[in-house]
Amino acid sequence: MSHATHYVVAASHIDRELLRLLVWVPLTLLDDGLMRATRHMWTTLIVERTDTEVLVMVELTIAWTWLIQQHLGLFSQHFEPKNPFAAKMSYTPSDKSARARAYAAISRTLAPHMQVIEFVVQRFDAVKHLPYGNFSVVNAILRILQVSFDNQDRITTNALARGPLFTLVHLGFKLLKLGFESNPILEAKLRDGLYRLAFRWFALPPCWSFSGSKPTLAREIQILIDTRHTIKGDTPVLRSAPALVGKWSATGSGSALAVRASYSSLTGSASSGNSSSTLPMTPLNGSKLHHYPNLRHLNPLSRHRRHANKTPGQAVTNESSTTTSASSLPDD
């Protein structure tokens, strides 16, 4: 790999076939040690030969789709968590050696994919500050995110996948900061996909996970904290795009109002995900149980339907009783 990289750098013309092999061979083997060395070689190649950056990113985009089709890395289905009630209960101490073997097997699958994601994040950080950024690199990253959104059901739900998953989510929200004034539809779809991907993770039941590496756990916690701060800085702006906005909204694929409604929920979920001792929206965590009032009386349409079948006197009586009961509810 090293000799091939130096050959591409020193050659007067780019050997496209050799460059293609430099991308595909490590991703086909998907080994953690090899991917670490490959990430360094890709960076060296792009720095020494800037005209190879687009070719590397395009091949990486194609290879990402291949990883999804082959169920490799983050899209593996071999480590899905099982129902704890499906296993026979035993009162023996936990087998630490079995736990270590399970963690090693999962790491061999997820760690190489994490290296690929970190390389993509590195390339984005390298071009985002340029006044005329490499739009081909940004388009390649958008393609990777879009393919991941379309195949989010194939992403493993194992607890140890939180690092790669939220690194992708964090990358997507950083990408939104570039601004898409000329294409509000693309911005809305990107934001919708990011929220759906993040909410899919928080929709899963909480579970314990055991990590054999404290630095890895600290890095995952930092990723969650950075993602939460990035989401808090995300301010969706409603823009007008004649004929396009109406057509896109009519399909039901998402809306800016839904994004604004999801904003506070996702920031709360991300902050609660930093602690393994608390669960989001758990009433027992407070000093008293929270009572959630029935707010149907605030809906004028439902009130109109109820009063349509009553006499005027009954409607006035029910209206006053509803107002009284609503005012007596405790504050949340």
Side-chain angles (χ1 to χ4, degrees):
M1 293 290 295
S2 178
H3 291 292
T5 303
H6 291 301
Y7 177 81
V8 174
V9 171
S12 57
H13 300 283
I14 299 177
D15 190 339
R16 293 177 178 268
E17 187 61 27
L18 184 58
L19 182 63
R20 181 175 179 272
L21 292 175
L22 284 174
V23 176
W24 277 90
V25 170
L27 292 176
T28 303
L29 299 176
L30 211 62
D31 178 74
D32 186 26
L34 178 60
M35 283 307 307
R36 290 180 183 272
T38 302
R39 178 183 169 187
H40 174 71
M41 294 175 190
W42 288 347
T43 305
T44 303
L45 180 62
I46 292 174
V47 171
E48 298 293 336
R49 292 289 299 267
T50 56
D51 52 346
T52 62
E53 183 175 18
V54 176
L55 299 177
V56 171
M57 293 303 297
V58 169
E59 291 296 335
L60 188 58
T61 303
I62 301 173
W64 187 278
T65 305
W66 180 81
L67 292 174
I68 296 176
Q69 296 173 351
Q70 301 298 319
H71 301 282
L72 296 176
L74 185 61
F75 303 92
S76 175
Q77 301 295 321
H78 299 296
F79 306 104
E80 296 302 294
K82 299 179 180 179
N83 192 326
F85 294 102
K88 183 179 179 180
M89 178 180 290
S90 63
Y91 295 93
T92 58
S94 301
D95 189 355
K96 295 184 179 180
S97 61
R99 191 171 62 198
R101 288 193 300 269
Y103 171 77
I106 299 173
S107 297
R108 283 195 299 268
T109 301
L110 296 178
H113 212 154
M114 184 64 177
Q115 294 295 326
V116 179
I117 296 174
E118 288 180 349
F119 173 78
V120 174
V121 174
Q122 175 187 352
R123 297 321 310 159
F124 173 75
D125 292 337
V127 303
K128 68 178 182 180
H129 299 294
L130 300 178
Y132 300 98
N134 195 332
F135 294 103
S136 299
V137 175
V138 175
N139 288 335
I141 297 175
L142 283 173
R143 176 60 181 168
I144 289 175
L145 290 174
Q146 187 60 50
V147 173
S148 302
F149 297 157
D150 296 339
N151 297 272
Q152 60 178 335
D153 294 337
R154 299 187 180 186
I155 297 178
T156 179
T157 57
N158 190 284
L160 297 179
R162 55 182 173 258
L165 177 64
F166 280 97
T167 303
L168 276 179
V169 174
H170 188 215
L171 172 62
F173 278 106
K174 290 197 301 183
L175 194 60
L176 282 174
K177 292 184 177 180
L178 292 180
F180 294 87
E181 290 79 3
S182 60
N183 197 337
I185 303 302
L186 177 61
E187 178 184 358
K189 287 188 175 182
L190 177 59
R191 181 176 283 109
D192 179 70
L194 290 172
Y195 276 99
R196 289 179 183 274
L197 185 61
F199 273 120
R200 177 182 177 271
W201 178 267
F202 288 110
L204 300 173
C207 61
W208 289 98
S209 64
F210 299 92
S211 175
S213 174
K214 290 185 178 180
T216 302
L217 181 60
R219 186 165 58 250
E220 291 173 351
I221 294 176
Q222 187 61 44
I223 291 173
L224 284 173
I225 294 175
D226 294 342
T227 303
R228 179 177 180 269
H229 290 165
T230 307
I231 294 173
K232 290 181 66 176
D234 179 46
T235 54
V237 178
L238 295 177
R239 300 187 182 93
S240 61
L244 292 179
V245 174
K247 180 180 179 181
W248 176 76
S249 299
T251 60
S253 58
S255 64
L257 295 179
V259 169
R260 288 183 180 274
S262 304
Y263 163 76
S264 58
S265 300
L266 185 54
T267 53
S269 300
S271 60
S272 62
N274 298 334
S275 174
S276 59
S277 61
T278 59
L279 298 178
M281 299 300 294
T282 303
L284 297 179
N285 287 340
S287 59
K288 63 177 182 178
L289 294 178
H290 296 279
H291 301 277
Y292 297 95
N294 185 4
L295 302 179
R296 289 192 304 170
H297 65 279
L298 299 179
N299 189 348
L301 296 180
S302 61
R303 182 167 56 191
H304 175 73
R305 296 191 189 100
R306 293 199 309 268
H307 291 181
N309 298 326
K310 297 181 181 180
T311 61
Q314 292 176 334
V316 172
T317 303
N318 292 337
E319 181 70 21
S320 60
S321 63
T322 303
T323 305
T324 304
S325 61
S327 61
S328 61
L329 291 173
D331 296 332
D332 290 338

